[in-house]
Amino acid sequence: MTGISVQTRYRVVVIGGGHAGAEAAWTAANMLRGEEHAVALVTLRASAIGAMSCNPAIGGIAKGQMVREIDALGGLMGLAADATGVMFKMLNTSRGAAARSPRAQCDRHAYARQVRSAIEGRPEIDVIEGAVEDIAVVHCAGAPRRASGVVVKRADDDTMQLLDADAVILTTGTFMRGLMHEGDRMTPGGRAGEKSTVGIASSLRVLGFELGRLKTGSPPRLLGSTIDWESLEAQHGDTQPTPFSDLALDGAGGEGWSPPLEQMVCRITTTTPEAHEIIRANLHRAPMFSGQIDAIGPLYCPSIEDKVVRFAQRERHHVFLEPESYESDWVYCNGIATSLPRDVQAQIVAHMPGCGRAEVAQWGYAVEYDMVRPHQIMATCMTRHIDGLFLAGQINGTSGYEEAAGQGLVAGVNAVRFVRDESAWVLGRDEAYIGVMMDDLVTKTPIEPYRMFTSRAEHRLLLRTDNTADRLTPKGIDLGLVDGQRKEAFVRRSQALDRVRAVLATTQMHGKSLAKRARRPDYTAHELSCDTGMVAGEHVPWGVLETALAEHQYAGYLDRQRAEVKRQARMEKRSIPSAVDFKAVTGLRNEARSALERFRPATLGQAGRLEGVSPADMTLLLVALERHARAHVHA
């Protein structure tokens, strides 16, 4: 390549320093621990690594479970959230253990600094500022194409540099041909004040990838000093916060964990009927309604203009005023994402109680961006047509920090295993919410940004917040992801859990068994600690008590779910050879044949979950696979 300098080969090159990219680089470094300069993280600006582009919060319904899963596998997100959280809240505490989800509002600037410090502190990772203009691919006769590096336009001197790599992970977020909208104002960029990337989209098209276009949005930020805080209802976090990380839980023992940062109080306000009328009168100026934006936005996180149209009977919508940081006066208006013109946004804000004199620090905007249709990847995040090229995050059609980070972890693991010529690693739907997400992405075509919900997981009783370490840390140990401190914490947890289980099974109290008493729906982990006296007598992490109690109270349901998982295992794990010609399967309906050809499912389980594939189609496919297997044996 004329005029392009060549850098020493990296084992893995990660493109993008957002939540997917940071987690991918961190994970790859964990697996390559001790190998200096093994991973390159290429980002437009090193100072933006780990930036919270929208909501300054981590976790939430189902998302919190995913953060716990990332942490159980040695990931970064939970540690960063615990270190910088300013309001922790366990959601759904009035419901069963399977529904509870942790959430933390974080100090935006402290969070990004924490992630950046962690990444830059790893000797295995080199951070390179620049924009990726092209993906280098080698063509070998008789073998699939293989990613061999990336061409980077360096930020410091605009020179072009080829970074050789054994594997490439692409995490472009909203930056690939990103275009921001405020009314009729259109500005190239993937985030306020930052440029978009163009070359990578062209490179992907040349390589034969089918791209799509999605949209997301962000609300205006207000100056906190101009809000009448005392007139608004206060929103408090939990009196006793629950951290995300097992390391924090282990260190705290019982209910004694304290967040490092001082906790904040948020306030709640609402939109008003007057503001809704202003929005309706200006819909022709809203890019989503004027035709200026063709891309589809997230159904479950709509803009305020979309809410006013879709829920016309509602006179008000809640708006949560969330201070973004101790280092700035900015306040995030959670609930009024918008791309309306600035003058309309100003009127919406002025009509919100407590905000009559509020000043806008940053206007809301929508951003549309390119993504790669995820039927072109496998559940490992590796693309189907180019070996060694992995995609993670919003490029796969997802929405949210947590979904991005989960994919980054999967991509990081599988990129290193690919480099080492080891078998691919896939999480099952019964093993993790991350597994549910990856399976959904490769069996369904997203028509809107994908967001995780507990309802997507058919085995959610098995996928609780409290048992993530039991489900996943042993896998992390086997993969080489988990370091000594976390491994030791898990061993202590396992031993304590066995002791509590034994106490539950054998203890008698007042002539009755503790096991029977603990089956009451209103029986709590705090009561368990009091009844056993274990918290006072020895070090028992609070999470251990919660897990032991959840296992005990859900025992019958858990047995049925595990039995169902076993029944499905044969179908789930039976692979479909890549050589199978779905066009030749006799009797398949055209809809099923088209779906099978498009997604190329790796297993019968995946095939059965494809849209358009019926039970009758599955029977025909199973017969065809039997014939294919017999023909292969005879050959």
Side-chain angles (χ1 to χ4, degrees):
M1 297 184 180
T2 305
I4 299 177
S5 61
V6 180
Q7 169 72 29
T8 303
R9 174 177 293 275
Y10 288 99
R11 302 269 260 170
V12 178
V13 169
V14 179
I15 304 166
H19 301 280
E23 209 68 59
W26 179 264
T27 298
N30 282 344
M31 294 187 71
L32 298 169
R33 192 175 280 111
E35 295 187 32
E36 293 188 7
H37 312 296
V39 180
L41 175 60
V42 182
T43 179
L44 293 173
R45 290 193 304 122
S47 60
I49 291 174
M52 292 177 143
S53 301
C54 196
N55 192 0
I58 296 294
I61 302 298
K63 292 170 176 280
Q65 279 92 325
M66 295 182 77
V67 179
R68 290 275 295 127
E69 291 172 354
I70 291 165
D71 181 76
L73 289 164
L76 180 58
M77 179 170 273
L79 293 170
D82 287 346
T84 62
V86 294
M87 178 190 281
F88 290 82
K89 195 169 186 65
M90 184 65 71
L91 307 179
N92 285 340
T93 54
S94 63
R95 301 175 62 186
R100 296 170 195 159
S101 300
R103 181 186 187 273
Q105 183 184 330
C106 297
D107 184 307
R108 175 190 300 280
H109 300 302
Y111 181 91
R113 191 164 53 246
Q114 185 78 16
V115 173
R116 184 168 66 253
S117 175
I119 293 293
E120 292 177 342
R122 295 297 298 262
E124 300 88 353
I125 302 174
D126 288 349
V127 176
I128 299 172
E129 289 190 320
V132 172
E133 297 294 319
D134 199 4
I135 299 171
V137 174
V138 294
H139 303 260
C140 301
R145 294 177 295 172
R146 177 168 178 157
S148 61
V150 297
V151 177
V152 178
K153 184 177 183 181
R154 298 291 297 245
D156 48 4
D157 57 11
D158 283 346
T159 60
M160 303 295 282
Q161 184 177 39
L162 172 63
L163 303 182
D164 282 338
D166 296 319
V168 174
I169 302 175
L170 188 56
T171 71
T172 55
T174 60
F175 286 83
M176 192 158 63
R177 288 203 317 125
L179 183 63
M180 297 181 293
H181 299 260
E182 290 178 27
D184 60 3
R185 294 163 55 103
M186 292 183 285
T187 308
R191 183 165 53 214
E194 298 190 40
K195 299 177 181 179
S196 64
T197 56
V198 178
I200 193 67
S202 299
S203 179
L204 289 169
R205 284 198 182 88
V206 169
L207 291 172
F209 286 96
E210 178 189 343
L211 304 186
R213 196 86 169 145
L214 291 177
K215 168 257 180 190
T216 188
S218 193
R221 275 71 161 177
L222 308 181
L223 291 178
S225 57
T226 64
I227 297 172
D228 181 8
W229 292 101
E230 297 306 315
S231 68
L232 301 173
E233 177 187 346
Q235 296 285 301
H236 298 274
D238 292 337
T239 304
Q240 177 54 60
T242 301
F244 286 101
S245 179
D246 286 327
L247 295 182
L249 287 167
D250 177 73
E255 294 181 282
W257 181 75
S258 297
L261 296 186
E262 182 181 351
Q263 299 299 280
M264 289 183 175
V265 176
C266 298
R267 301 281 171 163
I268 185 170
T269 184
T270 66
T271 58
T272 62
E274 293 80 10
H276 290 195
E277 285 303 316
I278 292 168
I279 292 170
R280 292 188 185 97
N282 286 277
L283 284 177
H284 64 286
R285 303 174 66 196
M288 284 292 293
F289 292 88
S290 69
Q292 183 174 304
I293 294 179
D294 292 327
I296 299 175
L299 177 63
Y300 298 100
C301 188
S303 64
I304 185 59
E305 52 266 37
D306 198 12
K307 288 182 186 178
V308 168
V309 171
R310 285 168 50 190
F311 308 106
Q313 74 282 5
R314 293 277 300 273
E315 292 189 342
R316 290 174 173 80
H317 292 282
H318 284 130
V319 182
F320 296 91
L321 300 178
E322 302 172 342
E324 291 196 338
S325 174
Y326 283 113
E327 301 171 32
S328 79
D329 192 32
W330 285 24
V331 176
Y332 182 88
C333 297
N334 191 343
I336 54 169
T338 184
S339 59
L340 283 161
R342 294 180 178 185
D343 61 298
V344 181
Q345 292 187 43
Q347 294 179 72
I348 296 170
V349 168
H351 280 88
M352 297 191 310
C355 300
R357 298 181 180 179
E359 296 180 17
V360 177
Q362 178 180 291
W363 301 100
Y365 61 92
V367 56
E368 54 178 335
Y369 54 93
D370 282 353
M371 49 81 72
V372 175
R373 301 290 185 193
H375 66 271
Q376 298 164 103
I377 66 169
M378 296 176 282
T380 62
C381 285
M382 190 166 82
T383 61
R384 295 184 179 278
H385 305 303
I386 298 179
D387 287 351
L389 178 60
F390 297 79
L391 310 181
Q394 285 176 287
I395 192 172
N396 288 331
T398 60
S399 173
Y401 306 151
E402 303 80 6
E403 290 87 344
Q407 293 169 73
L409 186 146
V410 171
V413 169
N414 281 300
V416 174
R417 291 182 69 83
F418 174 82
V419 167
R420 291 173 172 171
D421 199 26
E422 296 174 348
S423 60
W425 178 71
V426 176
L427 282 168
R429 296 182 70 90
D430 61 306
E431 294 177 308
Y433 273 93
I434 295 173
V436 173
M437 171 180 64
M438 293 309 307
D439 186 72
D440 282 349
L441 290 178
V442 300
T443 58
K444 299 173 177 64
T445 301
I447 59 174
E448 62 181 1
Y450 177 96
R451 182 178 181 179
M452 178 53 69
F453 295 102
T454 53
S455 59
R456 297 189 190 275
E458 62 271 40
H459 305 299
R460 53 188 171 274
L461 288 182
L462 297 173
L463 309 181
R464 305 186 309 278
T465 296
D466 65 84
N467 71 350
T468 47
D470 310 311
R471 289 187 277 123
L472 297 176
T473 297
K475 296 180 185 295
I477 294 171
D478 291 342
L479 289 166
L481 288 171
V482 173
D483 60 15
Q485 182 184 4
R486 191 180 295 273
K487 183 176 179 180
E488 291 168 6
F490 175 70
V491 170
R492 288 193 295 272
R493 171 188 164 81
S494 298
Q495 292 171 345
L497 186 56
D498 286 341
R499 291 196 298 273
V500 176
R501 287 167 176 158
V503 169
L504 262 174
T506 60
T507 301
Q508 295 288 318
M509 299 188 65
H510 309 297
K512 295 182 180 180
S513 70
L514 178 58
K516 184 174 182 180
R517 172 178 165 82
R519 288 196 183 97
R520 294 196 334 254
D522 60 344
Y523 188 87
T524 66
H526 181 73
E527 288 179 275
L528 176 60
S529 70
C530 294
D531 283 347
T532 61
M534 295 183 70
V535 171
E538 61 175 304
H539 176 79
V540 178
W542 189 253
V544 167
L545 295 168
E546 292 184 317
T547 298
L549 182 58
E551 288 178 347
H552 188 70
Q553 292 181 332
Y554 283 142
Y557 301 103
L558 292 173
D559 288 343
R560 285 196 286 273
Q561 284 210 350
R562 291 189 184 103
E564 180 61 25
V565 169
K566 287 182 179 179
R567 281 193 292 271
Q568 295 174 356
R570 181 174 177 273
M571 183 76 75
E572 186 62 43
K573 294 181 179 179
R574 180 164 180 179
S575 62
I576 299 176
S578 58
V580 169
D581 182 5
F582 295 117
K583 295 177 182 177
V585 178
T586 305
L588 274 183
R589 294 173 307 115
N590 288 336
E591 184 181 7
R593 184 175 285 107
S594 175
L596 291 166
E597 284 287 338
R598 178 178 175 82
F599 287 96
R600 300 297 307 181
T603 67
L604 280 174
Q606 286 185 356
R609 289 189 292 275
L610 293 179
E611 295 169 320
V613 176
S614 70
D617 296 319
M618 288 299 296
T619 300
L620 294 171
L621 179 58
L622 185 58
V623 170
L625 289 180
E626 296 287 354
R627 289 175 179 167
H628 183 275
R630 287 196 296 270
H632 183 71
V633 170
H634 293 317

